[in-house]
Amino acid sequence: MSNHPPPPKTPPVVKPPPPHVPNPPPYIPKPPPVVYPPIKPEPPIVPKPPVVPIKPPPLETPCPPPPPPKQKETCPIDTLKLGACVDLLGGLAHLVIGSSAKDTCCPLLEGLADADAALCLCTTIKAKLLNINIILPIALEVLVDCGKTPPAGYQCPA
């Protein structure tokens, strides 16, 4: 064996590591663009009319209030004064009315309204308990002779 020295040791050749290439990022697709619908204008705010409750009609029609009590018609003069006139008319029921009835009755009825004069004669005829259906036509005729015009179809109040 020979004595040779061993060959020099050469350092091992170290290769540099391969360059580091990073892994590519995973593929992420892009989201589609966001499309918003067009903005519509708000309609104007119109206030609603107030709600008024509707009253149902009454089930029964109410009765009208009673008329005020009718004042009793009275003669504005003393019927005793007309007594002579009415006595004369009662006596003339079967006779023709003459100037004596006019002379007796007209001064008593002077100054009265036509309807008041007729009312006074009615009141006196009733007070004397004479038959009003017989005496009244004569009394109304005397009224006309005295210049009084009683209402057409005048009847003594009940």
Side-chain angles (χ1 to χ4, degrees):
M1 300 205 68
S2 81
N3 265 0
H4 284 333
K9 267 187 156 178
T10 60
V13 175
V14 177
K15 292 185 174 177
H20 178 69
V21 177
N23 289 336
Y27 175 75
I28 300 175
K30 276 183 146 181
V34 177
V35 177
Y36 295 103
I39 298 175
K40 292 181 182 176
E42 292 277 332
I45 297 174
V46 178
K48 292 183 179 178
V51 176
V52 178
I54 298 173
K55 290 182 180 177
L59 298 177
E60 294 180 8
T61 305
C63 295
K70 194 174 184 181
Q71 290 186 353
K72 188 175 180 183
E73 297 174 340
T74 57
C75 177
I77 62 171
D78 184 1
T79 55
L80 291 176
K81 293 178 183 177
L82 279 176
C85 172
V86 170
D87 287 341
L88 183 62
L89 295 177
L92 295 174
H94 300 292
L95 306 171
V96 177
I97 299 173
S99 63
S100 63
K102 186 176 178 180
D103 293 341
T104 305
C105 297
C106 291
L108 298 170
L109 299 172
E110 193 175 302
L112 293 177
D114 297 348
D116 286 342
L119 175 65
C120 286
L121 284 174
C122 286
T123 304
T124 307
I125 293 167
K126 285 180 181 178
K128 292 210 162 259
L129 301 175
L130 298 172
N131 186 337
I132 203 157
N133 293 328
I134 294 172
I135 307 296
L136 182 61
I138 298 167
L140 294 177
E141 196 171 318
V142 170
L143 283 177
V144 171
D145 287 345
C146 294
K148 305 288 179 187
T149 309
Y154 181 82
Q155 293 183 353
C156 290

